[in-house]
Amino acid sequence: MISRERVLEILKEADVLLEGHFLLTSGRHSGKYLQCAKIFQYTKYSEELCAALAEMFRDKNIDVVIGPALGAVLMSYEVSRHLGVKNIFAEREEGKFTLRRGFSIEKGQKVLVVEDVVTTGGSVKEVIELVKNLGGEVAGVGAIVDRSGGKVDFGCDFKSVISLEVESYEPSDCPLCKQNIPYIKPGSRNIK
């Protein structure tokens, strides 16, 4: 089991926590952003965090690990490596997640859905729906960072390496917008 202190140390060393005014993938705004993709620049950090996450699901008899592209591509690989199972990723096509590149989920396979950071869980919920539509059984959801503070419910076992309550706002209630501070959109998904 990895300690909270060690996870925070890794996040600091990898320069993951950014401060400013950010438009999140969920459409909400925040003064802080967790750029977890930076973790995957360093194999020593990604290995340590993904091994800790994989261990949390070791008893679930996982067959496949899947994550939404782009943020969880490397993560799904690393978690699956520690579980010794297949990994795939879902990609958006015409705005919806789908499997491409010959990837498949067989009926009844136990699937672990992973994401680097969960705020509202929107992308994860879409991948869960995809897995179910393909006949897979969602055995759980795993994240490196749960920034909802444990508030997101996926209807299955949800575990994270660390849970952080990072405040976010609806655009109409954003104090940073009210101060006319321009925001940036650091994530991988385009929002209108």
Side-chain angles (χ1 to χ4, degrees), residues 5-179:
E5 293 74 26
R6 175 61 184 145
V7 175
L8 291 171
E9 183 179 301
I10 290 170
L11 297 180
K12 184 177 179 185
E13 287 174 13
D15 198 27
V16 167
L17 184 59
L18 307 175
E19 296 193 15
H21 184 189
F22 304 99
L23 172 60
L24 306 176
T25 301
S26 64
R28 294 176 66 83
H29 290 207
S30 181
K32 295 186 181 191
Y33 186 80
L34 292 152
Q35 184 56 276
C36 280
K38 288 185 173 185
I39 292 167
F40 297 97
Q41 296 177 106
Y42 308 100
T43 56
K44 65 182 180 179
Y45 297 146
S46 58
E47 181 173 7
E48 191 173 351
L49 294 173
C50 291
L53 187 62
E55 201 53 43
M56 294 176 190
F57 291 94
R58 177 91 41 214
D59 65 344
K60 295 284 188 178
N61 299 315
I62 305 296
D63 297 307
V64 180
V65 177
I66 186 173
L70 190 64
V73 171
L74 295 172
M75 184 181 170
S76 64
Y77 168 82
E78 190 65 24
V79 171
S80 74
R81 188 174 72 82
H82 289 283
L83 290 172
V85 300
K86 177 173 106 169
N87 78 91
I88 58 178
F89 53 88
E91 297 175 83
R92 287 195 185 279
E93 191 170 75
E94 298 178 18
K96 293 194 69 148
F97 277 116
T98 187
L99 293 185
R100 298 176 56 199
R101 306 172 196 272
F103 292 159
S104 64
I105 294 173
E106 295 175 26
K107 189 173 181 149
Q109 282 189 311
K110 291 187 178 183
V111 181
L112 174 62
V113 179
V114 297
E115 177 69 293
D116 55 355
V117 178
V118 168
T119 302
T120 62
S123 294
V124 170
K125 289 173 184 173
E126 290 179 60
V127 174
I128 287 171
E129 183 181 334
L130 172 65
V131 169
K132 288 179 177 179
N133 289 343
L134 294 171
E137 178 187 323
V138 179
V141 172
I144 291 176
V145 178
D146 170 12
R147 70 173 270 161
S148 79
K151 295 177 185 156
V152 176
D153 181 5
F154 295 112
C156 63
D157 195 14
F158 173 43
K159 297 180 182 186
S160 64
V161 179
I162 192 166
S163 182
L164 300 171
E165 182 98 34
V166 180
E167 201 165 10
S168 67
Y169 315 93
E170 288 296 331
S172 60
D173 297 327
C174 178
L176 300 165
C177 286
K178 290 175 182 166
Q179 295 174 45

